[in-house]
Amino acid sequence: MSQQVRVRFAPSPTGPLHIGGVRTALYNYLFAKQTGGTFILRIEDTDQNRYVPGAEDYIKEALEWLGLTPEEGPGYGGELGPYRQSERKDIYAKYAHQLVEQGHAYYAFDTPEDLAKMRVDQETLGYHSAKYDQRTRSLMRNSLTLSREETKLLLEQNDNVIIRLKIPEDEEISFVDLVREKVSFKSSELDDKVILKNDGMPTYHLANIIDDHLMEISHVIRGEEWLSSTAHHVLMYRFFGWEAPKFTHLPLILKPSGKGKLSKRDGAKFGFPVFPLEWRGEEETYQGFREDGYDPNALINFLVLLGWNPGNDEEIMSIERMVELFSLQKIVKSGARFDMDKANWFNQQYIQSTPNESLLPHVKSVLLSHGVDRDDNYISQYIGLMKERVVRFEDFYKEGSFFFKAPIKYDEKQVKKRYNPELDVHFVSIKNLILATAKEALSDKVKSYLNDNDLKMGVYLPLLRIMMCGSLKGPDLFDIISLLGKDEACERIDTALESFKKYS
């Protein structure tokens, strides 16, 4: 095996890429970049029954949006491909039959009825879980129980036959996990997993072993759910006489409650995305962080800390800083709670620290989706006024739509609390001040007018804000007026005064 670090992210194209998969890709990417290694994308599409058209393109688009672009993979090049498992079918069959010839695997001819009967028999005997293993294989129809002649005849009658891994008896299978240290399984706990299906396609267990070896993968960094299968993989490495890669199994990402693994349906349940991009399938549609207005760098920053500790108090980190600090040994064992409040905080911090010009494309895209098309100079000034007040890109319009269209509704409660028609004469004077005063001096002029006429600022300024915005929300009142422009601001005063009369 090559001494160079080579890691792979190996999703199955069975639907949208879950945020847990994104974190797996991120950790692989960071480790590769820190060590000068190679980050590889491999599409594990051996289960053709679950294959979903468009899923592979979705995976690649998501990785590129997040800045986690592979160096090898489908569409990226590389000398050790093909990088889709469906294009490597002949490779797997050869190795599966090799294991049979060496006595480490066997042909299984059991029908679905045979397997169903085995499960019923096992349950009748009081076993908690029925499985095809050392205990039951001798009762089934396979090349270990049938004669050589019977086996040969069945192989001649069937183009493709199931091949199962033969788990040795009374062994302890151990391996070192870089997070969990030494992990051991008793062979009696393991089943004789199918490694080649009767459609000629391999299962995950065989395919990923062969591909990791042939693609010279040095480190396998994957989710905790694969930990229990690693004993099977270690055995296969031994049977083939290959050096196994170093294993790292990542902790679960938990529901917001901290109880149970975060699932794809939790997003709809709790009202937040659990996928990087929106997914519109034939049967289901899921929210995406991109479409919900999140900065990809903020999302990466949030995810990197779900299961990894940099060893200091740093939270806001560039991808370059993450690469500098990243270490597999700093990955934690316990699950990490998916906290959307924290995700929102990260996004808010990134928006606030990003120059207006860099935010411009994101905000323009949001505005265009709402039918707003204004010049860049206006939008840039508007971003400067609003970016301290938003959490997501979408909030720029949601919280600041009054910059583009006059209010059609006003905060009735606040208007009734402060307004009466006797105030109109002073609002006409304020309107004339706006028309006659340079924007830099406008705040002082209006406040001086109120003071000179012994008028309450707590009445006039809130009402003036409502005239501009429809409510008491928004940035500095006189900054709003300056950006709207004198004519627009005065027109809004006239319109509001007509509407306020019905509240008095």
Side-chain angles (χ1 to χ4, degrees), residues 426-473:
H426 295 293
F427 277 113
V428 171
S429 296
I430 290 171
K431 186 178 75 167
N432 292 330
L433 277 175
I434 291 173
L435 289 171
T437 306
K439 61 182 181 179
E440 295 82 6
L442 186 58
S443 175
D444 289 340
K445 281 285 187 180
V446 172
K447 290 175 182 177
S448 294
Y449 174 83
L450 295 176
N451 282 326
D452 292 346
N453 289 278
D454 199 24
L455 303 175
K456 294 180 179 178
M457 291 194 188
V459 171
Y460 285 85
L461 295 184
L463 285 173
L464 186 58
R465 175 181 289 278
I466 292 172
M467 292 172 179
M468 299 300 120
C469 310
S471 72
L472 293 177
K473 296 180 180 179

Side-chain angles (χ1 to χ4, degrees), residues 221-285:
I221 305 168
R222 60 189 177 190
E224 183 180 278
E225 62 269 24
W226 295 111
L227 184 64
S228 60
S229 299
T230 305
H232 290 87
H233 304 165
V234 169
L235 279 174
M236 280 192 277
Y237 278 112
R238 190 180 87 192
F239 294 158
F240 283 123
W242 297 338
E243 179 184 351
K246 294 180 173 63
F247 294 102
T248 299
H249 289 89
L250 308 178
L252 296 176
I253 296 180
L254 305 175
K255 299 176 189 289
S257 65
K259 297 178 181 179
K261 181 181 177 181
L262 183 73
S263 75
K264 67 179 184 180
R265 304 198 186 282
D266 286 330
K269 180 178 179 181
F270 296 109
F272 58 74
V274 294
F275 298 99
L277 315 179
E278 182 182 67
W279 172 264
R280 291 185 176 273
E282 293 182 1
E283 299 180 358
E284 298 173 306
T285 297

